[in-house]
Amino acid sequence: MNRSRITSAAVGLALLGGLATTQVATAAGAFAYESGAEMTVGLTSGIVYDKNTGKVLGDGIGGTFGNHGPEADTATVTVTAVKNVKFTAKPKVDKGTVKSWNAEKVVIEAELAANGDELEKMDLPASLSGKKQTLRAEIKGIKTDPDTSNNTVTQTYSVDATKPKPTEKPTDKPTDKPTDDPTDKPTGKPSGKPTSKPSEKPTDKPSSKPSATPGDDSSPANTPAPAGGSDKGGGTGGDGSLAQTGGGSHTPQLIGGAGALVVLGGAALVLAKRRKSGQN
């Protein structure tokens, strides 16, 4: 009987000791969350991008950060492009300041209030490559953080951002020959010959024979033909006959009559002289 009572008492003391230990640990945990900060960071799980260029559409890759702890704290968020990701522009943040950024790393600093229920947003402009991409985000505060499990996140994306390979045969065949004819060969006829005939013939031609006007004695038509019967200037007509000069077929008779008149005139003068000398 005494042994059984001693055993029961020992078991009771052990149970009480265990309960006491549990209560002490719980109290210590509660005390730890009553001070300090509780930082958290996250990255979006989906990405929309342009397959031709690899550029992430919209404002870029999204992320969040915040402080759920009982005390305000200054947080530093660092996002690193681990694989097949390049940051292409300055990130946008709802709260805080972008301290630095380059193609591989972004650093953001923000003053976070205590017990922040709403997370702050960040947008990271980037471009993707390859078939898998990896980003890592980390947040740190100045004050103690009892739970550091949410201080770091690594996100892997399975986005096939490989650029399409060129086909073995191009869809458009290169032109071996130039589309335009070479300039050394004229496209049209040589410009030495006129492209069009004259629309009208010259209206004024030099006349081979001077035109005679009636009553004009100076015109060649009224001058007597030379005695030789031919004109050195080509006075013959087209049929070989002499050109008309104004004289008719009675020219010899007229010449003979003129000679008779000259003889008669001379005789009259002689007779007149004789008469005058007889009177004297």
Side-chain angles (χ1 to χ4, degrees):
M1 293 293 295
N2 293 333
R3 290 182 179 178
S4 61
R5 289 179 180 178
I6 293 172
T7 303
S8 299
V11 171
L13 290 173
L15 291 174
L16 290 174
L19 291 174
T21 304
T22 303
Q23 289 177 356
V24 170
T26 303
F31 177 78
Y33 280 96
E34 287 179 358
S35 62
E38 185 182 351
M39 298 293 181
T40 181
V41 66
L43 292 170
T44 183
S45 59
I47 297 177
V48 180
Y49 78 106
D50 185 349
K51 189 172 184 179
N52 293 326
T53 61
K55 180 181 178 181
V56 179
L57 300 180
D59 293 329
I61 301 174
T64 58
F65 58 91
N67 174 26
H68 297 306
E71 295 183 15
D73 199 357
T74 301
T76 301
V77 180
T78 303
V79 184
T80 304
V82 179
K83 183 179 180 181
N84 293 335
V85 179
K86 288 185 178 180
F87 300 118
T88 58
K90 184 178 180 179
K92 297 179 181 179
V93 292
D94 288 347
K95 190 174 184 180
T97 303
V98 178
K99 287 296 183 179
S100 64
W101 75 274
N102 54 40
E104 298 178 352
K105 184 177 291 187
V106 171
V107 179
I108 302 169
E109 188 175 287
E111 296 291 337
L112 300 180
N115 299 319
D117 294 332
E118 294 184 2
L119 297 176
E120 309 298 337
K121 294 181 181 179
M122 59 180 174
D123 294 311
L124 310 168
S127 62
L128 310 179
S129 61
K131 293 185 177 181
K132 287 187 177 182
Q133 302 78 29
T134 304
L135 280 181
R136 183 173 64 248
E138 182 180 4
I139 188 170
K140 289 183 178 181
I142 298 175
K143 298 180 179 179
T144 303
D145 191 340
D147 185 5
T148 60
S149 61
N150 296 323
N151 291 166
T152 304
V153 60
T154 300
Q155 187 70 46
T156 300
Y157 304 97
S158 297
V159 176
D160 187 0
T162 55
K163 293 183 179 180
K165 296 180 180 179
T167 56
E168 295 180 358
K169 294 182 180 180
T171 54
D172 296 330
K173 295 181 179 180
T175 56
D176 297 332
K177 296 181 180 180
T179 55
D180 297 331
D181 294 333
T183 55
D184 55 351
K185 292 184 179 180
T187 56
K189 295 181 179 180
S191 59
K193 296 182 180 180
T195 56
S196 60
K197 296 182 180 180
S199 59
E200 295 181 358
K201 295 182 179 180
T203 56
D204 296 333
K205 290 184 179 180
S207 59
S208 60
K209 297 179 182 180
S211 61
T213 57
D216 188 0
D217 295 337
S218 64
S219 62
N222 295 330
T223 58
S230 63
D231 187 3
K232 292 182 180 180
T236 59
D239 55 355
S241 61
L242 293 174
Q244 293 181 359
T245 59
S249 62
H250 301 288
T251 301
Q253 290 83 350
L254 292 175
I255 295 173
L261 290 175
V262 171
V263 173
L264 291 176
L269 290 174
V270 173
L271 290 175
K273 288 181 179 181
R274 288 179 178 180
R275 288 179 182 177
K276 186 176 181 181
S277 63
Q279 292 177 359
N280 293 330

